[in-house]
Amino acid sequence: MCGIVGYVGNRRAAPLLLGALKKLEYRGYDSAGIALLTDEIAVKKCTGSVSGLSGALQMAGTCGIGHTRWATHGAPSEQNAHPHVWKRFAVVHNGIIENYKTLRAECEQRGETFYSETDSEVIAHLLEFYFQGDLIAALQRVCSRLSGSYALAVICTKCPGTVALARMRSPLVVGVGGGVWCASDMPAIAAKNRTYYTLADGEFALLSARAVFYDGEGRVIQKKPAACDAEDCIPVKKGYRHYMRKEIGETASVLENRSRMLRAWTSPAVRQALGEARRLSFVACGTAYHACLAAKCAFEALARVPCSVTVASEYRYADPILEKGELVIAVSQSGETADTIAAAELAKQRGAGVLAVVNVTDSTLAGMADHVLSVGAGREIAVAATKSFNAQLMLLYSLAATLAEAKGKRGYGDLLKELPSLASQTVSVGEGVRAWVAYFMSASSVYFIGRGADHVAALEGSLKLKEITYIPSEGYPAGELKHGTLALVEQGTPVVAVLTSERLAQKTMNAVHEVYARGARVFLVTSLAEQARSKELTGAVVIPECGEIFSPMLSVIPLQLLAYYVSVARGINPDRPRNLAKSVTVE
Ligand code: F6R
């Protein structure tokens, strides 16, 4: 969460920093700020998005730092916005300083004044305290006092034309070309003819006319340039009004690319790790957690390998019992989710092998895992995950099918090859949900129900709806509603049922009858055309048939579209829902 940027060069820094920050807003947009270094430090901050800083465009200086915030400590106010300044230093920070209270008390005892409620401000104070002329030495000393996670960019009036960087468990990249740049993520600074470097945990850098990198001991190190596909890095909406709708539309082509590479995914080492695994433990958060639930259905049904799925933030503190031969599969679009990384680290410490399934391959999670597989969804800009979910499913289903094949159960690979074109058809028929929007516009709550794999789609549909429409919503196993939640269904309450299993059709339809009888407006996403004819339905979308196990791949698409269209109709920007950020790098 939070995005940081820095620039040193010959051009005026303010417009460049603001342009770069704009591209990082998916990481947070509660408040923003920049600091420019001339003989002194000049700061401009605002609440809300980076566009509130347009008054800063004229600021002088060719060296500076910037920040877009997702509040963790302290309200999203101008006072709490970064950069934080203390005497000769200004600092921007992404991450969380867990011991900031102790450090702040120490500074306050020295008579120093704090202006914000943030955990970050203390870093500027410590820099001032430890600085003796060498910026990297001071930064090293400060970092040795910090617990938690940080990507830091620092300027100092005693070091003209210089930005200093430090990284621990929060991403930071450096770009050299047309000036020297840094940012939390590549797209902020992606341009042709620029060379990129990724800072590793514990490393430091000094940006001036060039970038110099240091290890934790302060020794200069040479770093290999990181790959950057500028085309992929520079976000474009391609005629769509929002990234989210564009990204849903890209699902079929993403799956098509992945499907062609089906075999290449499973390197011999991964095959061996999977083949030898006696148990699979999935850890993930949010949408990726739902992908793991779908994967569990597939691995257990096709390959008969026992699986468990745990929300990563719970796994870490649950003192998990790891069995011999257990493989932990950590799934994350960004590869930067702090909870998922912490869960994977714990699993490694306890001797388990870790397979990371990521979309961003140069991410922290990918860096620490024993094996890495890329879902290859391409860059996802909208905060709500859509195509990356489908790509995660494609990869995880392929692994399950590969494992099943190794055990003599053939045929699933052929079915997987059909999924890209079925996904394309589903996006087209899924547009039918636009006719449902009016019924959701002012709903006070919505329920999504399904059984088995359909329940996973219901959970994901519900998450999408709540995060981008702000309508309270729950995903439920269809048979569970009557054990309590049915009490909440009243006249007009929208209930979306997902039904793709012939085997469970009657059971799910029983739940439909039950909610209909209590006044609910029922909508159905189904691959069973005859069920769509039920008179109890206000709306139905019939999606292609792809078998019960793989069905969330398709049934989720109309639900993503439903959330999108309700969000737009409610006047919300679906790409940037309030309080959320794309990359959750704090615990
Ligand atoms: C929901 C959403 C989040 C993420 C979650 C995990 O649309 O995007 O729930 O799925 O924050 O993020 P990653 O997959 O990057 O670990």
Side-chain angles (χ1 to χ4, degrees):
M1 338 286 292
C2 303
I4 69 171
V5 296
Y7 169 79
V8 189
N10 301 323
R11 291 188 283 161
R12 277 200 315 115
L16 302 177
L17 291 172
L18 294 185
L21 279 181
K22 206 81 216 101
K23 295 179 192 145
L24 283 183
E25 279 192 309
Y26 70 89
R27 301 176 70 86
Y29 30 80
D30 289 336
S31 58
I34 58 172
L36 274 294
L37 179 62
T38 50
D39 294 339
E40 51 181 17
I41 291 171
V43 178
K44 201 94 186 169
K45 300 181 187 186
C46 69
T47 51
S49 75
V50 175
S51 34
L53 285 178
S54 51
L57 279 168
Q58 302 311 324
M59 285 170 79
T62 59
C63 169
I65 54 179
H67 189 269
T68 179
R69 180 167 185 248
W70 185 82
T72 57
H73 294 68
S77 62
E78 209 170 301
Q79 200 181 14
N80 289 330
H82 299 219
H84 292 291
V85 181
W86 178 245
K87 298 193 174 170
R88 295 169 293 181
F89 287 89
V91 61
V92 287
H93 167 222
N94 168 213
I96 287 193
I97 305 305
E98 287 167 357
N99 58 339
Y100 81 99
K101 282 192 182 150
T102 319
L103 297 171
R104 183 169 169 154
E106 183 183 307
C107 298
E108 282 171 339
Q109 263 176 10
R110 289 198 290 264
E112 297 171 14
T113 312
F114 281 74
Y115 298 96
S116 78
E117 301 155 276
T118 66
D119 54 330
S120 312
E121 191 179 1
V122 73
I123 299 166
H125 284 251
L126 291 177
L127 280 163
E128 178 64 40
F129 183 69
Y130 287 118
F131 182 69
Q132 291 183 335
D134 180 337
L135 193 47
I136 286 293
L139 198 50
Q140 258 183 299
R141 186 78 180 88
V142 171
C143 290
S144 72
R145 305 277 331 267
L146 306 178
S147 318
S149 59
Y150 49 83
L152 299 174
V154 171
I155 50 175
C156 169
T157 50
K158 291 285 172 201
C159 309
T162 307
V163 175
L165 311 177
R167 174 199 157 136
M168 183 59 72
R169 294 188 209 94
S170 286
L172 195 51
V173 294
V174 170
V176 180
V180 183
W181 307 69
C182 70
S184 299
D185 197 2
M186 216 77 104
I189 54 172
K192 292 206 173 96
N193 306 323
R194 196 164 283 162
T195 311
Y196 301 89
Y197 303 89
T198 307
L199 243 68
D201 281 349
E203 289 181 351
F204 299 84
L206 261 192
L207 315 184
S208 52
R210 61 198 185 103
V212 182
F213 299 96
Y214 301 85
D215 66 10
E217 313 301 322
R219 290 180 294 244
V220 172
I221 50 170
Q222 302 302 323
K223 287 186 75 71
K224 275 200 204 134
C228 170
D229 178 350
E231 285 281 291
D232 184 40
C233 271
I234 299 167
V236 278
K237 286 192 188 144
K238 290 192 181 150
Y240 286 95
R241 194 168 153 206
H242 299 105
Y243 285 112
M244 183 178 173
R245 180 63 190 83
K246 171 187 160 246
E247 287 162 2
I248 295 171
E250 285 168 355
T251 300
S253 58
V254 164
L255 299 185
E256 181 66 40
N257 289 342
R258 295 292 90 189
S259 142
R260 271 196 235 114
M261 292 168 67
L262 222 78
R263 292 279 161 192
W265 284 352
T266 41
S267 66
V270 173
R271 273 171 194 258
Q272 188 180 346
L274 271 174
E276 286 172 0
R278 301 233 297 265
R279 182 182 179 81
L280 301 176
S281 281
F282 291 90
V283 289
C285 304
T287 290
Y289 168 74
H290 295 153
C292 295
L293 292 176
K296 173 180 158 74
C297 297
F299 275 99
E300 291 190 341
L302 308 186
R304 304 302 293 161
V305 187
C307 300
S308 64
V309 184
T310 316
V311 167
S313 55
E314 289 296 314
Y315 186 90
R316 192 180 176 193
Y317 299 105
D319 196 9
I321 301 167
L322 286 154
E323 289 169 21
K324 205 166 183 299
E326 185 158 329
L327 179 67
V328 172
I329 305 186
V331 181
S332 171
Q333 186 284 129
S334 61
E336 299 296 348
T337 299
D339 291 320
T340 310
I341 294 167
E345 273 168 355
L346 177 66
K348 270 191 94 165
Q349 277 162 23
R350 297 198 172 183
V354 172
L355 165 62
V357 171
V358 293
N359 192 33
V360 181
T361 46
D362 57 359
S363 56
T364 308
L365 182 62
M368 57 78 62
D370 300 302
H371 310 281
V372 182
L373 289 175
S374 160
V375 301
R379 203 161 272 278
E380 194 173 61
I381 299 293
V383 165
T386 55
K387 63 174 179 172
S388 66
F389 174 74
N390 297 68
Q392 284 162 351
L393 292 191
M394 189 70 172
L395 189 145
L396 293 166
Y397 289 161
S398 305
L399 294 184
T402 307
L403 206 54
E405 206 171 285
K407 294 184 172 183
K409 287 171 90 180
R410 301 191 170 273
Y412 298 111
D414 294 338
L415 190 50
L416 286 173
K417 280 188 205 134
E418 287 176 34
L419 286 177
S421 85
L422 298 181
S424 166
Q425 291 169 37
T426 309
V427 174
S428 303
V429 294
E431 284 288 322
V433 299
R434 296 179 83 152
W436 306 0
V437 170
Y439 300 103
F440 289 74
M441 281 293 287
S442 44
S444 53
S445 60
V446 175
Y447 300 94
F448 289 79
I449 57 172
R451 284 172 185 263
D454 291 337
H455 172 228
V456 177
L459 288 173
E460 178 57 9
S462 168
L463 178 63
K464 286 291 90 93
L465 189 83
K466 72 181 100 169
E467 71 177 320
I468 62 166
T469 70
Y470 316 149
I471 300 173
S473 148
E474 292 296 336
Y476 259 84
E480 182 65 11
L481 264 191
K482 58 184 180 289
H483 296 291
T485 305
L486 194 56
L488 299 175
V489 172
E490 37 186 46
Q491 205 61 36
T493 301
V495 174
V496 182
V498 184
L499 174 50
T500 61
S501 161
E502 195 78 65
R503 184 174 67 94
L504 299 170
Q506 209 37 62
K507 300 291 173 199
T508 298
M509 287 314 278
N510 286 347
V512 166
H513 303 322
E514 285 158 15
V515 292
Y516 178 74
R518 274 126 187 123
R521 280 203 176 270
V522 190
F523 302 84
L524 187 68
V525 171
T526 185
S527 54
L528 310 176
E530 71 278 16
Q531 302 296 349
R533 288 194 278 274
S534 164
K535 295 223 164 22
E536 294 178 351
L537 302 175
T538 300
V541 162
V542 180
I543 60 171
E545 158 72 25
C546 72
E548 186 180 330
I549 301 298
F550 298 151
S551 65
M553 171 75 90
L554 303 185
S555 55
V556 76
I557 293 172
L559 306 183
Q560 294 167 340
L561 287 167
L562 176 65
Y564 171 77
Y565 286 117
V566 176
S567 175
V568 173
R570 281 166 67 93
I572 295 165
N573 177 354
D575 287 342
R576 292 194 354 192
R578 69 184 179 203
N579 305 340
L580 301 180
K582 185 75 182 158
S583 192
V584 189
T585 55
V586 293
E587 268 193 76

